[in-house]
Amino acid sequence: MRFTFIPFTCLVLALIASPVMAKEKKHEKQMDPQAMMELWKKLAQPGEPHKLFAGLAGSWTTATKEWMEPGKPPTESTGTADMKMLLDGRFLYQEYNAQMMGQPFSGIGIDAYDNITKRYVTAWMDTMGTGIFIMEGTASADGKIITLKGQHPEPGGGQMKHRAVWKIVDSNSQTFEMYGTHHKGKEMKFLEIVYTRKP
């Protein structure tokens, strides 16, 4: 009885859902398979945001400031970053090496501009954790100021919300600022990295 109940339940749910699904399909515009393929090909091509990323490929020195508490002076350190484009100019890849809280620190990031959603996406991994940190956002009209938002779980529970401002000053300099809201508190700036292209 238990086993016949499951298919019967699935059948009932399918019958209930089918008019709703049919109604939704009427609102969707049917696209010719060839036209769909052409659209996918077009959306898969790198555009202006990707060209801007490509201009950042190369080796950089970094100067980092970290604020642990509001009103206290930041900790300062230096490091390096190497950037290159992946998959025929579609994604910007970064390898970053520096100090963080007085300890050796390494991280890698992949930056993207999604032609379908028209949003910037960044994925970050580093030696201070085992998770992948994802942020999404938009850019200024010229594409040179990218604002990203994301959140990550904190030890002991809760989420820390982040806001990042990435400024591409020119092909030889860029800045990355990170702001955070800890346990629903007031947002504070806790990180600033100034990138300068190596000669």
Side-chain angles (χ1 to χ4, degrees):
M1 190 68 183
R2 183 179 186 177
F3 297 101
T4 55
F5 178 73
I6 294 170
F8 177 73
T9 305
C10 292
L11 177 63
V12 170
L13 289 172
L15 289 172
I16 292 169
S18 57
V20 177
M21 290 169 68
K23 197 172 183 181
E24 285 179 1
K25 282 184 179 178
K26 286 180 183 176
H27 293 292
E28 290 178 11
K29 187 178 178 182
Q30 294 296 322
M31 187 177 285
D32 173 76
Q34 185 62 37
M36 178 70 82
M37 184 60 70
E38 290 302 317
L39 181 58
W40 272 112
K41 284 169 65 176
K42 181 180 177 182
L43 290 170
Q45 297 308 306
E48 290 304 315
H50 306 94
K51 290 178 185 174
L52 189 62
F53 284 166
L56 302 177
S59 296
W60 302 75
T61 59
T62 62
T64 301
K65 292 180 181 178
E66 300 169 73
W67 287 265
M68 295 295 107
E69 294 180 53
K72 296 284 181 70
T75 301
E76 299 188 37
S77 61
T78 59
T80 61
D82 290 294
M83 301 182 182
K84 65 179 180 180
M85 295 301 287
L86 301 177
L87 300 174
D88 301 321
R90 290 175 172 82
F91 303 95
L92 178 65
Y93 173 77
Q94 175 181 181
E95 289 186 8
Y96 178 83
N97 291 284
Q99 297 279 316
M100 187 71 71
M101 292 188 275
Q103 300 294 320
F105 174 84
S106 296
I108 59 173
I110 296 178
D111 297 298
Y113 177 77
D114 188 328
N115 287 333
I116 295 178
T117 64
K118 301 191 185 309
R119 290 179 68 80
Y120 291 81
V121 183
T122 184
W124 180 261
M125 295 143 275
D126 61 46
T127 53
M128 286 190 70
T130 56
I132 300 175
F133 181 46
I134 307 287
M135 291 191 291
E136 289 190 25
T138 57
S140 57
D142 62 3
K144 292 187 174 183
I145 301 175
I146 300 167
T147 303
L148 303 156
K149 291 184 179 180
Q151 60 183 28
H152 71 77
E154 293 191 280
Q159 297 277 331
M160 184 170 186
K161 294 185 177 180
H162 293 280
R163 178 174 64 90
V165 181
W166 178 15
K167 296 177 184 177
I168 302 170
V169 181
D170 53 43
S171 60
N172 295 315
S173 57
Q174 52 181 314
T175 62
F176 184 84
E177 298 174 345
M178 186 82 95
Y179 301 81
T181 305
H182 181 70
H183 289 304
K184 298 182 180 180
K186 188 177 179 182
E187 182 185 76
M188 66 168 277
K189 181 178 180 178
F190 65 87
L191 179 70
E192 177 186 283
I193 306 174
V194 176
Y195 291 78
T196 304
R197 188 182 292 278
K198 288 183 180 180

